[in-house]
Amino acid sequence: MTQAMEWIGNIVIIIGLIFMALGVFGIFRFRDYFSRILITAKVDTVGFITIMLGLIIKHGFDFFSGKIILVLALYIITNPIATHAITRSAHISGYRIKKER
Amino acid sequence: MDFDSIVLTIIAGLSVFGLVRVLDGPTVWDRMLGFALFSSKVIVAAVFIGIIINRTYMIDVALIYGVLGFIGTIMIARFVERKGDV
């Protein structure tokens, strides 16, 4: 049973890694700031959630996983707010979207 | 080189790309974006280190780094938005 959980956790972590790699690839592919921040806000958070869930599955449910859930909850709350604050400061300072060449 | 340390090295490699965006980002907001991306990778790496050495204090390190990184990002965004007079 634990072997099966181990494998499921590993697969979920690999999926999370793929999301994180896509997030990093996204910020280099797009030329404009606003599409990059969209990638960071969304794809990176999904990657983070998937990796943390994989770790929780792999590690069973005890005090250790409780702390990982706490880190997960913190990150889910703070990352959107942080990316919103950055984009808000960009918008207020007059940085407008440029047409993709 | 079991599974966890392979994933840790991959995440460390990915975090370098976030710093590359900080280096060559044209606007200051790209730099802040690259830093936000880098800090998320550091949180994941801290959790993985906690799992590899099987100590729970590393998870607290990741938690505190997340909180401080968040506050730092908010303050820098506020500083840039108000052009210096916060």
Side-chain angles (χ1 to χ4, degrees):
Chain A
M1 176 55 190
T2 55
Q3 194 60 23
M5 299 297 276
E6 188 97 8
W7 271 106
I8 294 169
N10 283 349
I11 290 164
V12 173
I13 286 176
I14 289 171
I15 294 170
L17 263 182
I18 292 169
F19 273 125
M20 276 216 166
L22 284 176
V24 166
F25 172 70
I27 63 171
F28 286 105
R29 185 219 171 283
F30 290 107
R31 287 289 142 254
D32 182 41
Y33 161 73
F34 284 107
S35 37
R36 276 187 214 134
I37 193 76
L38 175 69
I39 293 293
T40 316
K42 285 212 171 108
V43 176
D44 202 51
T45 314
V46 168
F48 188 93
I49 294 170
T50 323
I51 287 185
M52 288 303 155
L53 286 183
L55 284 178
I56 289 167
I57 292 169
K58 212 167 111 166
H59 208 275
F61 199 75
D62 57 355
F63 212 57
F64 196 86
S65 305
K67 281 193 172 176
I68 297 181
I69 290 171
L70 202 62
V71 171
L72 181 64
L74 169 95
Y75 188 74
I76 289 176
I77 295 167
T78 48
N79 194 33
I81 295 177
T83 40
H84 169 72
I86 298 173
T87 314
R88 184 173 169 273
S89 80
H91 188 71
I92 281 176
S93 312
Y95 183 90
R96 290 297 176 264
I97 195 163
K98 286 190 261 313
K99 284 288 156 285
E100 183 101 2
R101 273 180 298 281
Chain B
M1 275 296 261
D2 61 344
F3 180 71
D4 289 344
S5 40
I6 293 171
V7 173
L8 185 62
T9 44
I10 292 173
I11 285 174
L14 286 178
S15 65
V16 171
F17 289 109
L19 289 181
V20 167
R21 175 49 63 194
V22 171
L23 266 180
D24 72 343
T27 63
V28 66
W29 301 289
D30 285 311
R31 293 191 168 92
M32 283 152 62
L33 176 141
F35 179 70
L37 202 75
F38 173 71
S39 65
S40 90
K41 303 284 186 297
V42 167
I43 296 174
V44 174
V47 171
F48 264 97
I49 291 172
I51 282 188
I52 286 175
I53 59 174
N54 215 354
R55 290 284 186 280
T56 58
Y57 64 83
M58 277 310 286
I59 313 284
D60 308 338
V61 169
L63 198 68
I64 291 166
Y65 183 82
V67 171
L68 293 183
F70 168 61
I71 290 173
T73 306
I74 296 289
M75 282 304 130
I76 294 172
R78 222 173 97 120
F79 183 83
V80 168
E81 169 196 327
R82 300 225 172 103
K83 296 185 174 53
D85 54 351
V86 178

